[in-house]
Amino acid sequence: MIFYSTKTADLKASLEEAIFNSLPPDNGLYMPESIPAISKEFMDDIENKSFKEIAIEVTATLLGSEITRSEIESIIDRAYDFEAPVVKITPNDYVLELFHGPSMAFKDFGARFMAAIMSYFLQRSNKEIRILVATSGDTGGAVAQGFYKVPGISVTILYPSGKVSDIQEKQLTTLGHNVTALEVEGTFDDCQRLVKEAFLDAELSEKYNLASANSINIARLIPQSFYYFAAYAQLKKLGKPLVFSVPSGNFGNLSAGVLAYRMGLPVEHFIAATNANNAVPRYLTSGTYEPLPSIETISNAMDVGSPSNFVRLTRFFNDDWNAINEKVSGAFYNDEQTQKAMREVFGNANYVMCPHTAVAYRGLQDYRKKTGSDFTGVFLSTAHPAKFIDLVEETLGKSIEVPERLKSLLDIEKVSIKMKPEFSEFKSLLMNALK
Ligand SMILES: *Cc1c(COP(=O)(O)O)cnc(C)c1O
């Protein structure tokens, strides 16, 4: 598969270049030059395939010219010891649970695949790299878990001190080995700025092969298409068209759904569900894209004012607003509506949702009311509710169960290196102190 930059069509890259550069030099986004179709034979029998078999087939369809099938099998085998089950919530609506991975958020699907495919390329070339990642919460945990003990890769995570939840902080700071957590006395924006500066620094580039694990890396996008196929495999027997509602922030998740659709997955419609950070729903209504500064909400992993995958999302529809409108509807909700949805589903189905999931649920219900058509609805659950335990318990007025995986973390001592948000301090750590 050849990739091109959304800003300069003839700026091309191989898979390996796209993965290790993360961004093209012109600051566009890498896009596949053409999108191959999944085979009809496979789709005819997909209901009998496991999650891993689906992941292998999708990867082989996209990347089979670069990586042999047996290598793809071992990449998928290494990446996934968890799945994406659907659970029935109303007579026609299912939740697609994407929180069964090590960090209990859907970002595990992207991070684990990215780690496995980077490790494959590194072993071939005998190189070592250092991943730098700034996190406001969930990304860091998924990346830390994804790259933990992967040979040839060390990981440095920058997070804003006091601004991530207890569980999130423990996920970053308790692994050790090749994962180092830098606790920055500043904001997420400071963390991001430090990472950007590091990539521009000549001395650091000379000392290390620096790489990024941010959400626009194509190696995180591709694997997020797997679970759309997996949902279809589980629901195909119902024989109805599928509508996916996707709780969105940077729009990587929804873009991956559209990639699956472009590969031939039968999808009737997508719902781009957001909180008050609603640049994409507004674009879908008005045709004008006006990103704004981000607003704080209770679904904070979606507090993105200017979504980084917007360009990719529209490019999948050849930047044609009418085409995207036929396939994607927008919906956005405030915190009160989100909490109401959490209580509604808990009352009706005894099912506990995180606030992000609730936004998607609500988007699906409103779409059903508006269209009155008969379909199977799937809303994506992007995190386990226990990751947001304070908010969830307060909303439902009831204590909820915390999975052992998260509970045991709280007893482990955190290990972080505190630093001021100064590039000189960051650089000297990288040059001298870090393993
Ligand atoms: C990252 C995240 C999202 C947003 O996903 P995008 O791909 O950025 O749209 C939604 N929910 C949770 C829990 C997340 O961590």
Side-chain angles (χ1 to χ4, degrees):
M1 173 168 273
I2 307 286
F3 298 89
Y4 72 95
S5 166
T6 49
K7 279 201 179 147
T8 318
D10 53 13
L11 193 57
K12 306 269 159 88
S14 67
L15 174 65
E16 186 172 358
E17 287 164 341
I19 290 175
F20 286 96
N21 295 348
S22 201
L23 286 178
D26 65 353
N27 258 318
L29 294 179
Y30 284 120
M31 283 291 282
E33 205 167 46
S34 64
I35 300 173
I38 190 108
S39 87
K40 181 172 179 314
E41 295 91 291
F42 187 81
M43 290 303 284
D44 284 347
D45 191 34
I46 193 170
E47 60 272 32
N48 298 313
K49 306 292 186 189
S50 68
F51 180 82
K52 276 190 189 175
E53 286 169 329
I54 291 170
I56 290 165
E57 183 68 20
V58 173
T59 308
T61 303
L62 293 172
L63 309 179
S65 58
E66 265 98 346
I67 311 179
T68 65
R69 188 152 185 124
S70 74
E71 290 291 354
I72 289 172
E73 284 169 4
S74 78
I75 287 169
I76 295 299
D77 202 50
R78 181 159 1 141
Y80 299 115
D81 54 1
F82 54 93
E83 301 201 358
V86 296
V87 175
K88 192 170 182 166
I89 298 296
T90 77
N92 285 308
D93 296 321
Y94 292 75
V95 58
L96 175 61
E97 293 187 344
L98 302 176
F99 53 68
H100 295 285
S103 80
M104 309 203 87
F106 87 102
K107 291 187 173 69
D108 287 327
F109 284 93
R112 287 285 279 248
F113 179 87
M114 183 182 194
I117 200 167
M118 277 186 159
S119 155
Y120 159 77
F121 280 119
L122 289 172
Q123 274 163 13
R124 253 188 10 181
S125 62
N126 250 324
K127 276 197 299 209
E128 293 197 357
I129 59 164
R130 179 175 290 271
I131 302 270
L132 297 182
V133 61
T135 185
S136 58
D138 272 349
T139 300
V143 168
Q145 290 278 356
F147 286 88
Y148 180 53
K149 292 189 175 172
V150 173
I153 303 182
S154 52
V155 182
T156 305
I157 297 173
L158 290 81
Y159 72 97
S161 181
K163 294 196 172 63
V164 303
S165 78
D166 280 358
I167 285 179
Q168 286 173 330
E169 181 171 40
K170 287 291 172 87
Q171 287 184 325
L172 308 175
T173 56
T174 56
L175 287 170
H177 290 276
N178 61 333
V179 178
T180 307
L182 299 182
E183 184 175 354
V184 177
E185 291 163 353
T187 61
F188 170 64
D189 290 340
D190 289 320
C191 298
Q192 220 165 13
R193 172 179 51 80
L194 292 170
V195 167
K196 278 198 184 137
E197 274 187 66
F199 280 106
L200 297 173
D201 187 273
E203 261 183 299
L204 284 175
S205 312
E206 193 163 314
K207 179 166 163 123
Y208 294 114
N209 281 310
L210 293 179
S212 154
N214 62 28
S215 68
I216 51 200
N217 195 298
I218 196 77
R220 282 180 60 178
L221 189 82
I222 287 170
Q224 290 180 21
S225 65
F226 302 159
Y227 47 73
Y228 289 89
F229 285 95
Y232 174 75
Q234 294 170 76
L235 298 169
K236 186 182 168 193
K237 58 178 180 289
L238 301 175
K240 288 186 191 173
L242 282 193
V243 172
F244 286 98
S245 181
V246 186
S248 296
N250 264 322
F251 282 83
N253 201 354
L254 181 60
S255 295
V258 174
L259 171 63
Y261 164 66
R262 292 282 316 273
M263 290 178 73
L265 181 72
V267 178
E268 173 89 354
H269 205 72
F270 291 100
I271 298 154
T274 71
N275 57 30
N277 296 281
N278 57 4
V280 172
R282 281 185 289 113
Y283 161 79
L284 289 168
T285 315
S286 69
T288 312
Y289 182 57
E290 266 181 312
L292 294 171
S294 65
I295 301 166
E296 262 185 56
T297 75
I298 57 170
S299 46
N300 58 16
M302 313 197 305
D303 292 351
V304 181
S306 175
S308 53
N309 274 294
F310 175 72
V311 172
R312 214 174 237 156
L313 180 65
T314 52
R315 188 59 60 89
F316 275 129
F317 292 95
N318 301 316
D319 299 328
D320 175 349
W321 181 76
N322 289 310
I324 186 169
N325 244 288
E326 258 172 45
K327 212 67 207 174
V328 186
S329 301
F332 60 93
Y333 301 103
N334 62 29
D335 286 351
E336 202 182 314
Q337 293 169 313
T338 306
Q339 288 181 294
K340 192 161 165 251
M342 290 165 72
R343 286 191 282 263
E344 179 178 309
V345 170
F346 183 64
N348 294 342
N350 199 27
Y351 187 83
V352 181
M353 302 185 293
C354 87
H356 313 81
T357 308
V359 167
Y361 165 81
R362 179 77 205 251
L364 187 59
Q365 301 315 309
D366 287 349
Y367 182 76
R368 196 179 276 292
K369 267 187 228 146
K370 196 173 66 191
T371 60
S373 61
D374 191 22
F375 59 80
T376 296
V378 182
F379 59 102
L380 276 56
S381 178
T382 45
H384 192 285
K387 291 196 85 172
F388 305 90
I389 188 160
D390 294 345
L391 174 92
V392 172
E393 291 189 338
E394 187 192 306
T395 303
L396 303 182
K398 172 181 182 305
S399 60
I400 63 164
E401 226 172 286
V402 179
E404 205 41 54
R405 183 180 282 164
L406 296 182
K407 226 187 295 178
S408 60
L409 270 181
L410 294 173
D411 301 329
I412 309 176
E413 194 89 21
K414 92 170 189 193
V415 179
S416 68
I417 300 173
K418 277 215 177 193
M419 59 172 267
K420 299 250 171 330
E422 310 292 342
F423 183 67
S424 56
E425 191 173 337
F426 181 40
K427 180 170 173 180
S428 122
L429 275 171
L430 283 173
M431 291 301 286
N432 309 311
L434 296 187
K435 271 189 296 189

